[in-house]
Amino acid sequence: MKQELYRKLVAYLVENQDKFYRLAFSYLKNQEDALDVVQSAICKALEHYGELKSEAALKTWFYRIVLNESIILYNKRKREILTQDSEWMEQSYEEKGFDIHDDLYARIDRMEETAQKIIKLRFFEELTLEEIAQVLEMNVNTVKAKLYRGLKALKIAEGEEEETWTV
Amino acid sequence: MDRMTEAKREYHDIPIPQELSERVALEVERAEKKRRFSLLKRRIASAAAMVIVLFVTGLNTSEVFAREMNDIPVIGTLARIFTIRSYETETEDLKISVDIPSVEMIAEDLQGLEKEINEDIYAFCEQYAKEAEGRAKEYRQAFLDTGGTREEWEEHEITIKVWYEVKAQTDRYLSLTVKGAESWVSAYSEERYYNLDMETGKWITLHDILGDDYAGIVRRSILTQIKQRQAEEGTNYWPDRWKGIDDSTKFYMNRNQEPVVVLEKYEIAPGAEGQLEFEIRKEDW
């Protein structure tokens, strides 16, 4: 049983490695860091595969690990920059908030952490709301509410019609 | 084009470095090695712990108990038996294998009774093993003294065994027997029955269950039963020679919570019949 699940997990990880890399890169913006995240996420998953309840939970369980690893490294890098070079920090991290001239992708990047995760998983990774709820260990309704709020924030700035983005 | 589709395209345009597949493969391989190693470690550890584990789950492995298992839903929550000490030694003369059980009860106000019970069981097991070893050595000495050779002696399979069996467990009673046996002689085989009332954490006696007239109740029940058996099986019993029972008579509680009295070989029938068991049914109480 466990053996079988382990094999399925490995197959899933190998098959979908590009997706995990992109997700990690979307946070880290740096090849080496993104590779590190994918590698350590795989290491964690294979070490703790015993916690995996069923094959059905495999996808959302691993997305959670990748997101966690990405955010951990992202926060670490941010702290390093803060302590090393305050001037550089000002340039790259002070510019929070929307800039009309940025494209949507760049603006998603600057969204609040949870809203950003939801939007990336929903629109880039095409997870269902239920799957996202599992990844984030949240209620589906909460996910829905946060998604709409996030989209609204993006659209208000852009003045776009809500209907064009099918949730 | 829809801006979200555009953003998605931008996201999917993130280039995938060639290195990725190598790093993934490397990690999978490393985890596989680690896993195999830990499986191996676990296997070695479990082999070492096997004797212990055997009776931690022992209630399930006992045949008697396996039958009880299906009918009692809350089994094991009140009392648990496990091997507290288990050893096997083998010298050129002698094999000894000892499994000493211990009872763990979940009940309030046991006032150290559990400890007392376990100490008693422990002492019995240890003493038996020691005495049996002494007897084996005497036997060997006698054998050599009367002209036997070492080679001939070594052909003997001398084994001392101390073990236990769960006779029955219900939600109220737990009965187990602790046995000692020697392979070359049956005269010294010993067995003790331990019956625990798990509600009080105390030993139970026939007197506790059947009241003051316990000896009379058991006597009448057994005499009726042997008449039946004699008619059915043609076994020749010795009701006249039988002295009846007293508070040292062996018994255990069956699944219906009725005592089963165990009479020794020769006690009520020819030795060929061996030990005999008689259920004292509730209607006879």
Side-chain angles (χ1 to χ4, degrees):
Chain A
M1 267 310 285
K2 276 281 160 196
Q3 192 75 9
E4 181 69 19
L5 193 57
Y6 186 86
R7 273 210 309 279
K8 287 199 166 128
L9 174 61
V10 170
Y12 173 78
L13 296 177
V14 173
E15 238 167 77
N16 296 283
Q17 50 178 288
D18 291 5
K19 291 184 178 186
F20 312 137
Y21 176 81
R22 280 194 199 100
L23 188 57
F25 189 91
S26 78
Y27 284 95
L28 282 318
K29 311 285 178 218
N30 156 332
Q31 179 180 316
E32 208 35 58
D33 282 352
L35 284 171
D36 274 352
V37 163
V38 173
Q39 204 175 341
S40 66
I42 289 176
C43 175
K44 280 223 168 111
L46 295 179
E47 224 166 73
H48 298 282
Y49 81 102
E51 292 162 21
L52 186 55
K53 298 283 182 302
S54 66
E55 198 193 337
L58 202 151
K59 181 178 172 185
T60 56
W61 179 72
F62 191 67
Y63 266 109
R64 181 158 69 239
I65 298 176
V66 173
L67 279 176
N68 284 345
E69 289 299 303
S70 300
I71 306 260
I72 289 167
L73 190 57
Y74 174 78
N75 287 336
K76 186 168 173 269
R77 290 281 179 262
K78 204 163 73 178
R79 270 197 313 274
E80 281 166 10
I81 291 163
L82 280 170
T83 50
Q84 273 167 21
D85 190 335
S86 56
E87 258 174 66
W88 199 88
M89 175 271 293
E90 271 166 37
Q91 281 173 22
S92 55
Y93 286 96
E94 284 264 302
E95 281 183 278
K96 285 275 177 183
F98 294 137
D99 182 330
I100 292 284
H101 307 292
D102 277 348
D103 70 353
L104 187 63
Y105 182 71
R107 281 165 39 217
I108 290 171
D109 242 18
R110 285 198 300 265
M111 288 178 87
E112 173 272 323
E113 194 177 301
T114 309
Q116 186 181 151
K117 280 180 188 168
I118 293 171
I119 288 184
K120 280 179 174 173
L121 292 175
R122 182 72 196 94
F123 293 102
F124 300 165
E125 292 298 327
E126 290 168 341
L127 264 61
T128 65
L129 290 174
E130 285 75 21
E131 284 174 329
I132 295 169
Q134 280 170 34
V135 173
L136 303 179
E137 292 179 307
M138 269 179 194
N139 185 293
V140 183
N141 290 326
T142 316
V143 172
K144 230 182 257 178
K146 281 184 184 281
L147 175 61
Y148 286 127
R149 219 176 302 140
L151 286 178
K152 214 170 170 192
L154 289 171
K155 280 163 199 163
I156 281 166
E158 205 61 41
E160 222 166 319
E161 291 298 316
E162 286 199 26
E163 282 77 9
T164 57
W165 297 339
T166 28
V167 175
Chain B
M1 188 195 286
D2 171 345
R3 284 177 177 276
M4 190 55 93
T5 314
E6 212 175 288
K8 187 179 172 184
R9 171 171 294 176
E10 201 174 326
Y11 177 87
H12 280 274
D13 279 346
I14 294 172
I16 304 298
Q18 284 218 310
E19 223 188 315
L20 178 66
S21 62
E22 290 162 30
R23 297 275 288 266
V24 169
L26 182 82
E27 202 51 51
V28 168
E29 199 185 313
R30 202 157 65 180
E32 183 62 29
K33 265 189 212 147
K34 244 193 276 177
R35 192 163 141 270
R36 250 185 259 142
F37 180 66
S38 81
L39 280 180
L40 184 71
K41 260 200 314 200
R42 219 173 302 152
R43 231 170 270 153
I44 292 166
S46 75
M50 201 160 71
V51 212
I52 310 268
V53 172
L54 204 71
F55 248 93
V56 169
T57 54
L59 292 174
N60 309 342
T61 58
S62 148
E63 203 192 308
V64 179
F65 190 75
R67 268 183 276 129
E68 306 285 331
M69 199 61 175
N70 301 322
D71 304 309
I72 303 151
V74 289
I75 211 74
T77 59
L78 296 168
R80 203 163 70 102
I81 298 174
F82 56 94
T83 301
I84 193 171
R85 186 155 177 227
S86 174
Y87 59 88
E88 272 189 61
T89 56
E90 188 172 353
T91 64
E92 44 188 298
D93 295 319
L94 186 65
K95 271 188 209 156
I96 305 175
S97 102
V98 177
D99 281 340
I100 302 176
S102 182
V103 182
E104 190 187 356
M105 277 183 279
I106 299 147
E108 289 170 347
D109 294 313
L110 288 181
Q111 293 155 345
L113 279 159
E114 193 184 9
K115 199 173 158 234
E116 221 177 277
I117 289 161
N118 287 323
E119 279 170 355
D120 190 272
I121 294 174
Y122 196 90
F124 167 70
C125 292
E126 286 286 36
Q127 196 193 336
Y128 185 84
K130 225 169 94 188
E131 286 175 358
E133 203 178 340
R135 282 193 291 268
K137 281 180 181 149
E138 273 172 36
Y139 178 39
R140 175 171 154 264
Q141 200 52 48
F143 182 86
L144 295 174
D145 287 348
T146 51
T149 66
R150 271 215 79 88
E151 285 75 24
E152 284 171 327
W153 169 255
E154 269 160 27
E155 275 169 36
H156 286 72
E157 270 270 19
I158 302 293
T159 310
I160 296 167
K161 218 177 148 213
V162 177
W163 77 106
Y164 60 99
E165 286 168 17
V166 175
K167 297 300 278 187
Q169 184 178 18
T170 65
D171 50 3
R172 175 88 197 254
Y173 301 113
L174 169 68
S175 292
L176 70 144
T177 124
V178 182
K179 300 183 181 191
E182 292 147 64
S183 65
W184 71 97
V185 54
S186 62
Y188 300 108
S189 292
E190 257 189 84
E191 61 178 351
R192 282 199 189 174
Y193 286 83
Y194 293 91
N195 297 289
L196 298 168
D197 182 342
M198 290 182 293
E199 265 172 40
T200 59
K202 284 185 182 161
W203 299 109
I204 38 166
T205 62
L206 286 169
H207 184 254
D208 294 333
I209 298 155
L210 303 172
D212 288 334
D213 189 33
Y214 72 95
I217 292 170
V218 170
R219 182 177 184 89
R220 284 189 292 276
S221 174
I222 290 179
L223 289 175
T224 316
Q225 288 184 56
I226 58 172
K227 246 179 242 162
Q228 276 170 5
R229 289 194 199 178
Q230 223 154 354
E232 280 165 27
E233 306 156 13
T235 314
N236 191 22
Y237 286 92
W238 302 333
D240 301 327
R241 273 215 273 182
W242 183 44
K243 292 189 200 75
I245 63 144
D246 58 29
D247 55 13
S248 69
T249 299
K250 291 169 182 169
F251 76 100
Y252 63 90
M253 299 301 288
N254 69 11
R255 55 189 290 171
N256 301 321
Q257 311 202 345
E258 294 163 329
V260 178
V261 171
V262 181
L263 298 184
E264 295 298 348
K265 203 170 165 179
Y266 299 114
E267 208 179 332
I268 201 170
E273 296 300 318
Q275 262 185 355
L276 291 168
E277 295 189 357
F278 297 91
E279 277 184 13
I280 311 301
R281 298 197 170 273
K282 281 199 173 110
E283 58 261 30
D284 297 333
W285 294 13

